[in-house]
Amino acid sequence: MSRRAMLIILIFISMAVLSSSAQQPPLNWARRLDSGDGPESVTNLQFYFHDLPGGKNPTAVQVVKPASSGTSINSFFGSVAMADDALTESADAGSKVVGRAQGLYGFDSQSDLTLMMSMSYVFTDGPYSGSSLSVVGRNPTMDTNRELPVMGGTGLFRMARGYALLRTVSLDASGDAVVYYNVTVHAPASNYANAQIISPAGGGGGAPALLRR
C-alpha cells in the first residue's frame, strides 16, 4: 500500500473518531466544572437515589435485626440493611438509570433516626460508566439538608475527594424513599485523559445549590 493511500485512510479514521465524539449527547446529570487546564478535575453530579425496603421487589433488605423491638426510635438501633439501589436522572423511578448505590447502612443512634452509611455509587451512563465513588459517613435522615463525605473512587474518580449534599424528596409509610444527591468531586485531571466529556448547555460557573431541583 502506498504512503498516500495510508495517509488517506488515517485521515478518514480521524474524521470518524471526531464525528463520534461530536455526536455524543451531553449528560444532564454530570458535568465538569473546571477548565480542564489544571492538575485537578472538579465534577458535579446530580441524581436521585431510590431506596426501596418495601414491596415485592425490595432494593434494600435487612441483614441484621435490632437488639430490641417496639415502635420507639430506640427500637431501630442496631438494624443493618444491604442495598442495591437505583440512581436515576430525575425523581421519577422510570427515568434513565445512571448507576447503582451498593453497600450497607445501619441505624447507629439510640436517640434519633441516624444512619451510618458505607456505600459505593457505581455509574453506568456515558463516559462515567464503570467509574464509582465511595461515600462513608453519618446521615441524619430527619434533617432537611444533609452532607456526606466522598472518601475515594475508581475510574474517572480515582483518588477522589469531595462531598455529597442530600435532600429527601419523598418517604412513604413502607420506608421507600427518594433522595436527591448533589455531589462535588475533586480528582486528578489525568483520570480524564482518554475520556470525552460534554457538559450540558450552560454548564460551568460553580456547583449548583443544594435545592436547585
Side-chain angles (χ1 to χ4, degrees):
M1 183 182 293
S2 69
R3 298 179 70 179
R4 180 175 179 180
M6 289 185 65
L7 178 61
I8 291 174
I9 291 173
L10 289 173
I11 290 173
F12 273 107
I13 292 174
S14 299
M15 290 176 64
V17 170
L18 290 172
S19 175
S20 175
S21 298
Q23 292 173 3
Q24 179 185 358
L27 300 179
N28 293 321
W29 64 277
R31 61 177 179 172
R32 281 188 68 172
L33 302 180
D34 62 291
S35 65
D37 298 326
E40 185 174 75
S41 66
V42 183
T43 307
N44 180 249
L45 311 172
Q46 297 184 52
F47 52 81
Y48 291 81
F49 168 101
H50 297 258
D51 188 59
L52 309 175
K56 295 181 179 179
N57 298 299
T59 63
V61 296
Q62 187 181 65
V63 294
V64 177
K65 294 183 178 180
S68 61
S69 61
T71 58
S72 67
I73 288 178
N74 184 54
S75 67
F76 290 93
F77 178 63
S79 175
V80 178
M82 179 73 74
D84 179 15
D85 294 333
L87 306 176
T88 63
E89 193 174 59
S90 78
D92 181 356
S95 63
K96 182 170 73 171
V97 175
V98 301
R100 310 289 302 185
Q102 299 170 327
L104 293 165
Y105 61 78
F107 289 90
D108 66 350
S109 174
Q110 299 184 67
S111 58
D112 55 40
L113 294 176
T114 298
L115 297 175
M116 174 62 192
M117 301 186 69
S118 179
M119 305 284 287
S120 292
Y121 294 73
V122 184
F123 301 104
T124 58
D125 185 43
Y128 297 96
S129 181
S131 298
S132 70
L133 290 173
S134 296
V135 176
V136 180
R138 177 179 181 271
N139 181 2
T141 61
M142 301 310 292
D143 290 357
T144 301
N145 299 323
R146 290 99 70 192
E147 182 174 347
L148 291 172
V150 174
M151 306 296 288
T154 65
L156 293 179
F157 302 127
R158 187 181 300 125
M159 299 179 65
R161 69 187 194 283
Y163 59 93
L165 303 177
L166 284 62
R167 175 172 52 84
T168 299
V169 176
S170 64
L171 175 65
D172 67 19
S174 68
D176 290 356
V178 178
V179 181
Y180 168 59
Y181 273 66
N182 185 330
V183 187
T184 299
V185 183
H186 296 254
S190 58
N191 293 351
Y192 281 88
N194 297 316
Q196 295 291 332
I197 308 296
I198 301 176
S199 294
L210 172 64
L211 301 180
R212 176 186 165 196
R213 295 184 181 179

